[in-house]
Amino acid sequence: LYNRALRKNPSLAGQVVVELTISPTGQVTAVNILSSELDDEALERKLTLRIKKFKFASANVAEITVTYPIDFLPS
């Protein structure tokens, strides 16, 4: 997703901080962008939709919410 967005905007870079909630089954039940330096709403929306498709290992634990920073830098 990021590489495609870079083709349109080669200077696109920055950190996105996401908050995701993971159920005991490993399903991502909620994704929120807490902050973003990208200033690209379309990419942020696509990232949210992609992260919702993540699947973690199931475990006998309570639902958990984590905050995760992602740095996007052109290579």
Side-chain angles (χ1 to χ4, degrees), residues 8-72:
K8 294 179 184 175
N9 180 359
S11 65
L12 186 63
Q15 185 178 80
V16 176
V17 179
V18 294
E19 176 185 74
L20 54 143
T21 303
I22 307 165
S23 74
T25 64
Q27 181 85 22
V28 175
T29 58
V31 178
N32 295 306
I33 294 182
L34 300 179
S35 65
S36 175
E37 298 172 345
L38 295 178
D39 196 27
D40 187 324
E41 290 181 26
L43 176 58
E44 292 164 7
R45 186 173 46 255
K46 290 175 186 176
L47 286 170
T48 299
L49 293 172
R50 183 65 57 95
I51 292 169
K52 279 188 176 183
K53 293 180 181 183
F54 286 6
K55 180 75 173 158
F56 295 89
S58 60
N60 190 16
V61 295
E63 183 174 81
I64 185 170
T65 300
V66 296
T67 303
Y68 193 78
I70 305 169
D71 292 314
F72 293 94

